[in-house]
Amino acid sequence: MEKLIVLGTGNAQAVHCYNTCFAMKKGGEYFLTDAGGGNGILLALEKQRIPLEQIHHIFVTHAHNDHILGMVWMIRMIAAGMNKGSYAGNLHIYCHRELVETIKTLCLLTVGRKFTDHFDERILFHIVENGETREILGDRFTFFDIGSTKEKQFGYRIRMEQGVQLAFPGDEPYHEDLFPFVSGAHWLLHEAFCLYSRRDRFKPYEKHHSTVADACRLAEELRIPNLVLWHTEDKDLAQRRETYTAEGRMHYHGNLYVPDDGEILSF
């Protein structure tokens, strides 16, 4: 991968930014991770000038609405392109076993057969197992079960062709069982529901989420040189970067990124 395009940075209840999802560019192709909670994914892609015709690989982490419902729109629009002859090749969707039927059912209930008829012919589902490694767009992805107690969820670690390694443990806090998948990574993409100083207001621990301070202490302990914080609340979006960075700097001394929707990070 060459760069990461941030499409959304918000949690499930965010309305002032899109739900957390992102694309990574490799040559003329894009690898999409999650699609947020609605057709806002289409606007997010349009703003970044990412054509649907250049998305042939999508990974879906889990079945929560802020991660999966945008897939209905992705499948509908890409299938429409297939029908018109404007989308070449196949769409590959990677997810854990239970998600295959969930995604198919959502689409069967909400879009027409002329779109879902492409399932298992040109829209292909690839079930990923814990610890399984696959080569996608020339990079090596190792998928892993994050051990969620809420909803089965997978993340991944990438070893890129240029040697950079990136760990993405989904939208829940890292725990020690994930050490083999996160240790030694150059980049960590981690959720940070709110500031530690505002934990009483947002109650992140009740929702199985982290604070900025928690995520930054973790990255410092694991000696991760680059940390990206997202999947946040959006009540003070204009000040989010400033306040999150200030709290994070108290615990972490690497390169700290608190991106807004639409930002691009280069590896």
Side-chain angles (χ1 to χ4, degrees):
M1 301 299 168
E2 301 160 1
K3 59 184 178 180
L4 185 154
I5 301 98
V6 180
L7 300 173
T9 56
N11 62 24
Q13 299 181 38
V15 295
H16 302 294
C17 56
Y18 193 53
N19 309 125
T20 298
C21 55
F22 59 100
M24 287 184 286
K25 189 174 188 296
K26 181 73 176 290
E29 284 286 315
Y30 295 86
F31 179 92
L32 180 66
T33 296
D34 287 335
N39 69 350
I41 185 62
L42 303 179
L43 177 59
L45 292 170
E46 182 179 293
K47 285 182 176 179
Q48 298 306 310
R49 299 182 181 179
I50 300 176
L52 293 177
E53 294 79 11
Q54 291 174 236
I55 300 174
H56 291 89
H57 301 273
I58 303 176
F59 172 67
V60 185
T61 57
H62 63 301
H64 285 167
N65 61 352
D66 56 319
H67 297 264
I68 198 172
L69 292 182
M71 282 299 297
V72 173
W73 291 94
M74 290 299 297
I75 287 171
R76 187 192 187 283
M77 298 302 291
I78 287 175
M82 291 176 174
N83 292 337
K84 295 176 183 177
S86 60
Y87 185 94
N90 298 327
L91 172 63
H92 300 271
I93 299 173
Y94 306 86
C95 59
H96 64 71
R97 187 175 302 277
E98 291 86 340
L99 274 182
V100 174
E101 288 308 313
T102 302
I103 295 170
K104 286 183 175 181
T105 299
L106 285 170
C107 292
L108 288 168
L109 290 172
T110 56
V111 303
R113 282 283 183 182
K114 64 181 179 179
F115 305 116
T116 60
D117 280 348
H118 290 292
F119 285 165
D120 303 320
E121 292 185 2
R122 293 188 62 192
I123 298 177
L124 306 175
F125 291 84
H126 304 274
I127 296 170
V128 298
E129 304 289 350
N130 187 43
E132 176 184 1
T133 297
R134 292 173 179 258
E135 184 172 309
I136 303 172
L137 298 177
D139 293 335
R140 293 180 63 80
F141 286 72
T142 299
F143 298 95
F144 56 87
D145 189 331
I146 73 164
S148 173
T149 58
K150 294 193 299 183
E151 178 74 31
K152 186 174 181 179
Q153 180 174 173
F154 270 53
Y156 57 72
R157 180 185 179 120
I158 314 172
R159 180 183 291 273
M160 305 179 196
E161 280 189 302
Q162 69 269 41
V164 175
Q165 297 191 55
L166 176 149
F168 169 60
D171 77 345
E172 292 190 23
Y174 163 91
H175 54 83
E176 61 183 11
D177 290 345
L178 302 181
F179 182 81
F181 302 108
V182 175
S183 176
H186 302 100
W187 288 77
L188 175 63
L189 315 180
H190 202 280
E191 56 87 25
F193 196 84
C194 66
L195 294 166
Y196 183 78
S197 61
R198 297 179 184 173
R199 65 194 183 281
D200 291 338
R201 174 185 178 187
F202 293 107
K203 304 186 186 310
Y205 305 130
E206 294 179 10
K207 303 175 179 69
H208 299 265
H209 288 304
S210 303
T211 67
V212 171
D214 298 325
C216 287
R217 281 194 291 262
L218 165 69
E220 184 77 6
E221 179 182 344
L222 294 176
R223 299 182 180 179
I224 304 289
N226 299 282
L227 174 63
V228 178
L229 300 181
W230 52 22
H231 202 271
T232 77
E233 51 80 21
D234 67 336
K235 303 308 182 199
D236 189 16
L237 201 60
Q239 303 299 319
R240 180 179 61 180
R241 190 199 307 270
E242 179 182 349
T243 57
Y244 279 39
T245 300
E247 181 171 284
R249 285 293 176 216
M250 297 170 62
H251 308 279
Y252 176 68
H253 298 90
N255 300 314
L256 180 58
Y257 302 89
V258 184
D260 292 322
D261 292 14
E263 286 197 35
I264 297 174
L265 305 176
S266 297
F267 301 122

